[in-house]
Amino acid sequence: MEQIRKRAGWSVAVSALALSLASMGSVQAKEVTDADILADGTGNTTQIVTYGLGTKGQRFSPLAKVNPQTVKNLVPVWSFSFGGEKQRGQQSQPIIFDGKMYVTASYSRIFALDVKTGEKLWKYEHRLPDGIMPCCDVINRGAAIYGNLVIFGTLDAQLVALDKDTGKVVWKEKIEDYKAGYSFTAAPQIVKGMVITGNSGGEFGIVGRVDARDAKTGKLVWTRPVVEGHMGFKYDKEGKQVENGISGTTNATWPGDLWKTGGAAPWLSAYYDPDVNLIFIGTGNPAPWNSWLRPGDNLYSSSTVAIDPDTGKIVWHYQTTPHDGWDFDGVNEFVSFEYKDPKSGKMVKAGGKADRNGFFFVNDRTNGKLLNAFPFVNRIDWAKGIDLNTGRPIYNDDKRPGNPFTEGGGDGKKGEVVFNAPSFLGGKNQMPMAYSPKTGYFYVPANEWGMDIWNEPVSYKRGAAYLGAGFTIKALNEDYIGALRAVDPVSGKIVWEVKNNAPLWGGVLTTGGNLVFYGTPEGYLKAVDATNGKELWKFQTGSGIIAPPITWEDGGEQYVAVVSGWGGAVPLWGGDVAKRVNFLEQGGSVWVFKLHKS
């Protein structure tokens, strides 16, 4: 009997210990909260849980241990290869949380790595079907993290939520049908417990749309089309669709039926400003490229759109290229900052955007009113400027590609070829810029190039390319294409620039240490002085960099990381420019650096 009592006592003790350890484990297992999201970048520098180092997308960190005096001592800590033959373009911004790095890679893969050592903890490789139709390489720009989930999108237009500790699938939802040309490459964003996504596929006549889903379940909360004439919806607890108002007014700026296949894909990440409670997202080109088929402004294509996260309705929009005929997507990031109005001297809640069309725009982020607009590239052909009173471009009419239905002998085969700058790859494309509240400058990865472009007849066919245009991209200068530029949003001046032979296609990071980090297709991660652009440090990563760097601190040390791997739109669509950079090698890896201790 005594032996039985001892065994029973031992069993109870073991059970109690197990429960105690489980309880301790549950306490220790950290989850990402809404507060973590809002504190990212500046309020909490030990983690990176948003795409943009904060919901406003400034890509500024106050960290200053790496600075002009110490950056020469920056050395690699570890590097991790994505492996296999699946290289191609790598555009991911890593996420850092609770000792782990989450980084996506080409072909819809995601890795969890030990942030101190680079050891692989788990990998998820999405099974892609045949027939996916990504426009501009098989890239992925990053993941979102919330609760115990890490969430990313796939090339077949799905969202996948994985347990952040094990990599096991928790939920999976379809954004749209990839067979119709839909895809997804952006990093999702978390806003008020919802995962916010757009879609890709503007070159296939899809309909651009912004979705909000419950981040923990994947179920739709609301959906907002960004092509005029389409109905928005909210969803009740049972998932039933409830009409939530048409976007715009049917046929007001899209005569006929082309709005039904209007493009305007919001294919980059959304940003959120809690100060004004608005989501900001850019929209892509209208479909087809041939603008003669679709008279009017074609809302809400090539625009910045502000959406109320609580209602799913558009609060304001600003169209950077009305009636776009050059593929000047307006998808580039709208970055919140405080703007000192030179007329009144008052501080204004504003946002800055370096648009594909070559102009930098400053808008009041509460209502979209244009505050300033100026070129950030040297040559712009399609417009003579932006009228600050009306907010509209002053078109250069002879630079719109010719009408194939009235030119070329009236055979309807090809309109007049025109030369335009910038090219459709843009004065700036997907690579995110940075803003420093310390200097007051935006740091813009710009490109100087032009294109021959012409229009052709085209008709919509589901899942087929829907352009109605042809083009050849050409360099404007012998000595450089890319230029990292420090831009003053108040004066409209380019304060300094650093030229680069190949196009710049990676993002930018700026810090409280008065540094700007950026990568080049030639493989270098570089650091320059944020005040004057002087190069202070560089490191060769072995392949071209087309991704944005990040920085964080751990154990009192500042770390810098970047993903390396050449690819993206330039080698696929770059024409003469692609030939100029065809010596560059592909790759797939992430590099982590910190200061060397002597």
Side-chain angles (χ1 to χ4, degrees), residues 21 52 142 148 210 312 326 331 417 481 577:
L21 289 173
N148 70 331
V210 182
W326 305 271
V331 294
V417 179
I481 297 173
V577 170

Side-chain angles (χ1 to χ4, degrees), residues 124 146 148-153 158-163 168-175 188 190 193-197 213-220:
Y124 172 81
Y146 189 70
N148 70 331
L149 301 178
V150 58
I151 306 163
F152 83 119
Q158 295 192 58
L159 273 180
V160 183
L162 307 164
D163 184 296
K168 292 184 178 180
V169 175
V170 176
W171 60 256
K172 186 186 295 184
E173 295 289 339
K174 185 168 89 170
I175 295 173
I190 303 297
M194 300 180 293
V195 56
I196 307 298
T197 58
R213 296 173 184 272
D214 184 309
K216 294 191 175 180
T217 66
K219 301 306 178 185
L220 280 167

Side-chain angles (χ1 to χ4, degrees), residues 131-136 155 177-183 201 204 462-465:
I132 57 171
M133 291 177 277
C135 146
C136 307
L155 288 164
D177 186 0
Y178 73 90
K179 294 178 182 177
Y182 287 88
S183 58
F204 297 94
R462 188 176 188 269

Side-chain angles (χ1 to χ4, degrees), residues 29-46:
K30 294 182 180 178
E31 293 195 354
V32 178
T33 66
D34 291 303
D36 287 324
I37 299 287
L38 293 176
D40 202 35
T42 54
N44 187 342
T45 56
T46 65

Side-chain angles (χ1 to χ4, degrees), residues 27 80 236 297 386 393-394 438 483 540:
V27 171
F80 176 83
D236 62 20
D297 282 356
I386 305 295
I394 305 166
K438 185 172 181 178
Q540 175 57 251

Side-chain angles (χ1 to χ4, degrees), residues 286 289 291-292 294 296-297 301-303 318-330 332 353-361 370 373-387 390-402 418-428 447-453 476:
W289 288 19
S291 62
W292 299 99
R294 43 173 176 76
D297 282 356
S301 67
S302 301
S303 300
Y318 177 78
Q319 195 168 31
T320 48
T321 314
H323 195 214
D324 181 5
W326 305 271
D327 188 37
F328 288 149
D329 295 36
N332 290 356
K353 180 176 182 176
D355 199 81
R356 283 261 286 266
N357 67 23
F359 289 101
F360 193 103
F361 296 89
L370 183 66
F374 51 87
F376 67 93
V377 293
N378 293 332
R379 180 170 175 177
I380 297 176
D381 289 347
W382 70 278
K384 300 170 185 176
I386 305 295
D387 187 321
T390 65
R392 296 181 65 84
I394 305 166
Y395 291 107
N396 193 349
D397 291 332
D398 61 1
K399 287 296 184 176
R400 184 175 292 273
V418 297
F419 184 83
N420 246 296
S423 78
F424 75 84
L425 290 176
K428 190 184 87 65
N447 289 304
E448 298 283 351
W449 42 20
M451 63 180 173
D452 286 328
I453 183 169
L476 297 178

